């Protein structure tokens, strides 16, 4: 069994979290270390992270799910996601590239239409649509919800 620990992040791990988010190329904004859960190895290296990001009082986002490339495919994201889901009220939303939808469906999330999205996600969805047109990218943004 690997000697990995899942626990809340500490302030000293913030730069490792930022580095991991940059390395895997996901949204680098809204990274408050106090909200993060990490999986660390015996040497204190951050191998995986994730957070629940609030948008006002009512809206919460499962966000910043990231695993170091060399540790992917070993169930670390599942541990982070299950832990965050076990401690968060519903509903919970997330945004991801359309290709990642299958991962989150495993945890009960379903894609929602624009009309069903809270205002924050409607704004992000419009911005992503515009960026995708400007960059000629075929990848679209999926907004998903867990009731
Ligand atoms: C996506 C990512 C977080 C998955 O981490 P991971 O530790 O490799 O995932 P796990 O091994 O815990 O896999 C959990 C489940 O999701 C599935 N899964 C993993 N990656 C997937 C993908 N890209 N698409 C669909 N399903 C996927 C696995 O098959 C597994 O299913 P199972 O438990 O039923 O066997 C990781 O690859 C990563 O950091 N990618 C770059 C950053 C990123 O895209 N983050 C998501 C932002 S929305």
């Amino acid at each position: 069994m690997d000697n990995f620990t899942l626990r809340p992040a500490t302030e000293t791990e913030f730069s490792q979290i930022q580095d991991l988010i940059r390395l895997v190329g996901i949204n680098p904004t809204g990274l408050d270390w106090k909200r993060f859960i990490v999986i660390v190895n015996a040497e204190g290296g951050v191998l995986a992270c994730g957070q629940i990001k609030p948008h006002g009082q009512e809206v919460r986002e499962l966000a910043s799910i990231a695993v170091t490339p060399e540790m992917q495919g070993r169930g670390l994201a599942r541990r982070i996601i299950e832990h965050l889901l076990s401690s968060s009220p519903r509903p919970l939303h997330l945004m991801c590239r359309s290709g990642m939808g299958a991962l989150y469906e495993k945890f009960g999330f379903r894609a929602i239409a624009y009309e069903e999205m809270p205002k924050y996600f409607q704004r992000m969805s419009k911005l992503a649509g515009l960026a995708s047109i400007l960059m000629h990218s075929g990848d679209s943004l999926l907004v998903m919800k867990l009731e």
Side-chain angles (χ1 to χ4, degrees):
M1 186 70 182
D2 292 317
N3 189 14
F4 300 155
T5 308
L6 181 151
R7 57 162 172 72
T10 63
E11 188 170 8
T12 54
E13 285 159 353
F14 187 38
S15 62
Q16 284 196 71
I17 291 170
Q18 289 175 302
D19 290 347
L20 174 55
I21 298 286
R22 273 193 220 104
L23 179 67
V24 300
I26 58 172
N27 182 2
T29 65
L31 306 181
D32 180 347
W33 68 267
K34 297 186 205 72
R35 294 196 293 259
F36 270 79
I37 292 294
V38 289
I39 293 178
V40 294
N41 61 19
E43 292 75 41
V46 173
L47 306 176
C49 68
Q51 63 163 327
I52 303 285
K53 207 194 273 192
H55 301 286
Q57 295 291 314
E58 304 292 325
V59 178
R60 284 166 293 272
E61 177 188 5
L62 177 71
S64 312
I65 304 297
V67 177
T68 57
E70 57 276 16
M71 295 305 296
Q72 290 176 7
R74 299 175 59 166
L76 267 57
R78 175 171 279 282
R79 284 179 64 188
I80 293 272
I81 294 168
E82 284 177 345
H83 180 87
L84 290 169
L85 296 190
S86 72
S87 55
S88 170
R90 307 293 193 265
L92 199 52
H93 290 81
L94 65 80
M95 284 181 292
C96 65
R97 282 176 284 115
S98 50
M100 300 299 291
L103 190 166
Y104 294 108
E105 280 171 5
K106 286 175 182 277
F107 298 91
F109 283 87
R110 64 176 181 86
I112 55 172
Y114 181 82
E115 301 70 42
E116 224 188 304
M117 295 173 195
K119 290 259 176 307
Y120 169 80
F121 293 98
Q122 286 186 336
R123 279 199 305 275
M124 297 306 287
S125 184
K126 275 187 183 162
L127 281 175
L130 191 61
S132 145
I133 291 167
L134 292 175
M135 296 166 77
H136 306 287
S137 144
D139 216 0
S140 60
L141 180 84
L142 211 54
V143 175
M144 304 182 82
K145 180 179 183 182
L146 180 68
E147 301 278 5

